[in-house]
Amino acid sequence: LGALVTLRDTTLPGEQAELDALASALIDQVNAIANAGSAVPAPTTLTSAKAVSGADAFSASGTLRVAVVDADGSTVSTADIDLSAYSTLADLVGALDAMDGLSASIGSDGKLSITADDSANGVALADIGAAVVAASQGFSDYFGFNDLFSGSTAADIAVSSRLSGDYSLLATAALDTASTLAAGDRALSTSDSTTIDKLTAILSGALSFSAAGDQGAKTVTLSSYAASFVSGAATLVSNASSSAASALSTYQAATTRLQNATAVNVDEELALLTTYQSQYEANAQLVSMVQELFDTLIQMVN
């Protein structure tokens, strides 16, 4: 019972904390990279993963580049929005909705949607030094327009439902921010692998992990942290197996000693019974001889 309580209250929660730290880092880093990019062709509508309200306070810095692009990735219309100019989300939504060829609104479900007016076109976003102050995230990352993963822990991590339904929405490229965009300029390219390269590189890049379970705070790669977790779990299992084997051996030895001290050994008792029977027969024979001697002596006296 003590072992089960320790497993429930200490061992398993520690292992779960390590898995959660790994999953959380993977979700945050991958989503940040995916949200900095765009699918090609760009989706007609971008919908936030989180629910918001127009009355929400909004504080951000930097510039958000918004582009309406055609199926070939050429710019239809574009705007560079100074995010520091807006104090509420409703103000920002109004600015987006005022863009040529673009509509923005918050639906009844609380999700922010940015939609190209022409269904043949798409919407792409890019941060130019943009960051939402409250979360220290880029604009798209804060709202989760291009999230690859949903969830926040190892218990609920999953591929975003929008991607599981249509993998063409996976961000692979990035909206051009190197120069000013004008109508007709190439904004997105199918040959651009910027986002995919970053997603690949994240597996070998060092990330910071907080202390969790038996692992202290460290800066390592995702693969190294995962290997460390697997190694630690294997060590726990091995140590538990060794302890169980040792405890079983001790139990069996104690049981044997107890049985030897208190239990009846049938074979030993049978051997003793045979010995006692032989001794009894020998004694009986001796008594019989003594009886005969006494009888003979009495007869001689008479």
Side-chain angles (χ1 to χ4, degrees):
L1 289 177
L4 290 174
V5 169
T6 299
L7 186 66
R8 182 198 66 185
D9 295 343
T10 305
T11 306
L12 291 181
E15 295 302 292
Q16 184 65 53
E18 292 180 32
L19 276 177
D20 287 344
L22 177 62
S24 178
L26 180 64
I27 292 169
D28 291 345
Q29 296 299 319
V30 168
N31 282 349
I33 292 173
N35 277 291
S38 173
V40 182
T44 301
T45 299
L46 293 176
T47 303
S48 67
K50 62 189 297 183
V52 295
S53 169
D56 291 344
F58 183 77
S59 177
S61 60
T63 300
L64 172 68
R65 173 162 290 181
V66 184
V68 177
V69 297
D70 62 21
D72 295 327
S74 296
T75 304
V76 175
S77 63
T78 183
D80 289 344
I81 299 175
D82 180 4
L83 296 179
S84 64
Y86 306 97
S87 59
T88 67
L89 192 54
D91 294 337
L92 177 62
V93 172
L96 291 169
D97 192 53
M99 269 189 62
D100 184 30
L102 195 69
S103 298
S105 63
I106 298 176
S108 59
D109 58 356
K111 302 296 182 66
L112 170 59
S113 295
I114 305 174
T115 305
D117 293 337
D118 186 339
S119 60
N121 296 331
V123 182
L125 306 175
D127 295 326
I128 304 178
V132 178
V133 175
S136 298
Q137 294 174 279
F139 179 83
S140 182
D141 189 26
Y142 177 75
F143 290 100
F145 288 116
N146 283 312
D147 280 354
L148 195 156
F149 290 121
S150 62
S152 59
T153 67
D156 59 5
I157 183 175
V159 174
S160 169
S161 58
R162 60 184 285 275
L163 281 180
S164 61
D166 184 0
Y167 288 111
S168 68
L169 297 176
L170 175 65
T172 57
L175 179 63
D176 183 18
T177 59
S179 59
T180 302
L181 285 180
D185 290 344
R186 178 56 63 92
L188 293 171
S189 173
T190 55
S191 62
D192 182 7
S193 61
T194 300
T195 303
I196 290 298
D197 291 341
K198 289 181 179 180
L199 288 173
T200 302
I202 196 175
L203 295 177
S204 57
L207 302 175
S208 295
F209 293 87
S210 301
D214 292 332
Q215 300 203 48
K218 60 179 70 175
T219 300
V220 294
T221 64
L222 280 168
S223 55
S224 293
Y225 191 90
S228 178
F229 166 77
V230 172
S231 175
T235 299
L236 280 175
V237 172
S238 177
N239 290 342
S241 179
S242 297
S243 296
S246 177
L248 179 60
S249 178
T250 301
Y251 166 75
Q252 290 175 335
T255 301
T256 299
R257 288 195 297 270
L258 180 63
Q259 289 177 341
N260 290 340
T262 61
V264 175
N265 189 317
V266 177
D267 293 337
E268 182 178 331
E269 294 301 322
L270 180 60
L272 288 175
L273 181 61
T274 302
T275 300
Y276 295 152
Q277 182 178 0
S278 298
Q279 292 175 350
Y280 175 81
E281 292 175 350
N283 287 333
Q285 184 66 29
L286 179 60
V287 170
S288 177
M289 292 174 60
V290 171
Q291 181 66 43
E292 290 180 2
L293 288 175
F294 271 105
D295 290 344
T296 301
L297 182 59
I298 291 172
Q299 290 176 1
M300 291 176 62
V301 172
N302 293 333

